[in-house]
Amino acid sequence: MKKYIVLALSLTLLFPAASFSAVKKPASKSVIVKKPVVKKPVVKKVVVKPTPTPSPSTVVESPKVVEPTPTPTPTPTPTPTPKDLTFSNITENVDAIAFNVFSKYQSHMATNFQSSIKVNTIIGPNTVPVNKNSASAYLIGSKIFQNFKQPDEVFPIYYTFADKEWAKNQVAIRAGKNIADFQFGYSCPNASRCWDASASITLDWKAIAHFGASDPGGSIHGAELNGEIQIHEFTHSVSFFQLKPNKGNYYNLTPDWYGEGHASFTGKLGASTSFAEYTALRNEAIRRNGPGPDIKDYRPENILRFYESFSKAPEVSAINRYYLYTLGWSTIEALAAIGGIDSPMNLFVETANGSTFKQAFKKTYGIEWESAAPILAEVVSKQYVQYYP
């Protein structure tokens, strides 16, 4: 609040005092003595103008009362209802898949489940991880698999190219010698391109994963920033964990497109805090790779050829593996839209218990794989040909 100082000025009018002395009359003459004229001081009167009284004809307006503009009541936006999808109607409702799946995911994560997984982060001596709070991603991944047995401890190992041999040793100490040498080869080929990852189980059934980190100025994958890559790799460890207590090659129990597609599916969901974020991640995946000469195009018949090519382990596919993370992911997303978030892992549990992939598929989804494959191929094709006709 501003303070105003009012100065009161007092004018003091000083008047000269008149002095009179006695005058003696001479004896012989009569002298007329004129009296001095004493002028009276002029005192100025302060004229105070009276406040004019309004004449009867003057109209005095009353102050106007301004009424506030009423706030409009917002019309509530109706919450969309996800469409139920089945093998019978999914090809006609491809645009409903994303919202269906994300709604299922939100319901799945709205439980009171609290993960107790212990995250033991190990960082190389020359390494600065891109994601400095990856432990939270493991908590999300653990909750995604709340209905399945899972490791109670995880060892995420972060390294740069300079720390590559150090990282190999860290994995060997916990999971066995040379267990991940092949994966280290493609994960971190040089200092500026070192961002891939791989996962497994330790000798005492803990989860373990190694994550490359490029030198400053090098390439960075978006999945490193939001926890997607941690949840992706944790999915592999949880899948392996379903074999406990019997160690084995879990990866060959399902087709390659299934295992990588499932990990990509959970990674994208777990990294999304809103439907808008999930939509952005799935759009990036669909647009990521145009069809190369190996797959020719994204018509349904070539999607079917993709399924078949990656279903012949240990035979190496002639089609590039990067389609596992796009076409494989879209296939798992469609299956989850039909069967629920847990359905891909339910199928894997069946294979861990001795079923073949096709037997487990029939038990999980109620349809033969041979009947489902053309439907899924058409669903996937529709999403990719709009960008790569």
Side-chain angles (χ1 to χ4, degrees):
M1 178 181 293
K2 295 182 179 178
K3 294 182 179 180
Y4 296 91
I5 301 175
V6 179
L7 298 177
L9 180 62
S10 176
L11 297 178
T12 304
L13 300 178
L14 300 177
F15 302 101
S19 178
F20 298 93
S21 299
V23 180
K24 295 181 178 179
K25 294 180 181 181
S28 60
K29 292 183 179 180
S30 176
V31 180
I32 300 174
V33 180
K34 294 183 180 179
K35 293 182 181 180
V37 178
V38 180
K39 295 183 179 180
K40 295 181 180 180
V42 179
V43 180
K44 293 183 179 181
K45 295 183 180 180
V46 179
V47 180
V48 180
K49 294 183 179 180
T51 303
T53 304
S55 63
S57 60
T58 304
V59 178
V60 179
E61 294 184 356
S62 300
K64 293 182 179 180
V65 178
V66 180
E67 295 187 3
T69 303
T71 303
T73 303
T75 303
T77 304
T79 303
T81 303
K83 186 175 183 63
D84 289 334
L85 298 175
T86 66
F87 283 102
S88 300
N89 70 359
I90 193 168
T91 54
E92 289 78 36
N93 294 284
V94 170
D95 291 341
I97 292 175
F99 187 68
N100 174 294
V101 165
F102 193 75
S103 297
K104 283 183 167 69
Y105 171 71
Q106 287 184 306
S107 297
H108 182 80
M109 299 295 280
T111 66
N112 293 325
F113 175 86
Q114 296 290 327
S115 175
S116 59
I117 190 169
K118 182 180 179 182
V119 181
N120 305 289
T121 302
I122 304 172
I123 302 173
N126 302 294
T127 302
V128 177
V130 175
N131 186 341
K132 297 178 176 58
N133 187 29
S134 63
S136 60
Y138 280 103
L139 294 176
I140 294 171
S142 179
K143 190 164 187 176
I144 289 175
F145 296 111
Q146 60 188 279
N147 297 322
F148 300 92
K149 60 183 183 180
Q150 56 179 282
D152 59 2
E153 203 167 344
V154 60
F155 293 90
I157 300 169
Y158 297 90
Y159 68 99
T160 57
F161 185 75
D163 292 334
K164 190 171 178 178
E165 292 304 315
W166 167 89
K168 284 183 179 180
N169 186 55
Q170 294 297 316
V171 173
I173 291 170
R174 295 167 177 81
K177 191 175 181 181
N178 304 323
I179 194 69
D181 286 358
F182 172 73
Q183 288 83 357
F184 274 108
Y186 66 76
S187 295
C188 188
N190 55 64
S192 61
R193 197 281 190 201
C194 184
W195 54 257
D196 216 333
S198 184
S200 187
I201 288 290
T202 65
L203 297 173
D204 56 349
W205 293 95
K206 311 297 183 184
I208 189 169
H210 55 85
F211 303 91
S214 298
D215 285 356
S219 60
I220 296 177
H221 195 286
E224 295 181 82
L225 302 172
N226 55 13
E228 178 181 349
I229 197 167
Q230 283 80 17
I231 298 170
H232 179 115
E233 298 305 335
F234 187 65
T235 301
H236 288 310
S237 293
V238 174
S239 297
F240 196 156
F241 197 80
Q242 304 313 303
L243 276 66
K244 189 180 181 181
N246 302 311
K247 291 285 180 71
N249 189 347
Y250 82 97
Y251 202 78
N252 289 344
L253 294 178
T254 58
D256 287 6
W257 63 261
Y258 191 92
E260 294 298 347
H262 184 204
S264 298
F265 171 70
T266 54
K268 286 177 177 27
L269 278 177
S272 303
T273 59
S274 67
F275 180 57
E277 289 183 4
Y278 180 64
T279 300
L281 289 177
R282 71 188 304 277
N283 286 344
E284 184 279 324
I286 292 171
R287 301 179 189 185
R288 185 185 305 161
N289 301 315
D294 49 357
I295 201 168
K296 298 179 181 178
D297 57 43
Y298 288 137
R299 289 181 297 173
E301 55 266 34
N302 288 320
I303 307 297
L304 284 171
R305 190 164 57 84
F306 161 77
Y307 292 153
E308 183 63 22
S309 181
F310 283 102
S311 300
K312 300 177 180 180
E315 182 180 328
V316 178
S317 172
I319 297 177
N320 199 300
R321 287 184 63 84
Y322 57 65
Y323 296 110
L324 299 176
Y325 307 92
T326 55
L327 303 179
W329 156 74
S330 292
T331 304
I332 297 297
E333 185 189 46
L335 288 172
I338 294 170
I341 300 298
D342 279 346
S343 65
M345 187 59 81
N346 284 332
L347 184 150
F348 189 85
V349 170
E350 292 298 326
T351 64
N353 291 335
S355 297
T356 65
F357 170 71
K358 292 182 178 180
Q359 290 170 339
F361 192 92
K362 174 66 181 298
K363 186 170 183 179
T364 303
Y365 295 105
I367 185 175
E368 299 287 350
W369 166 248
E370 288 79 7
S371 300
I375 298 173
L376 295 169
E378 185 176 352
V379 167
V380 173
S381 174
K382 282 185 173 182
Q383 297 176 76
Y384 287 75
V385 295
Q386 61 180 319
Y387 302 109
Y388 301 102

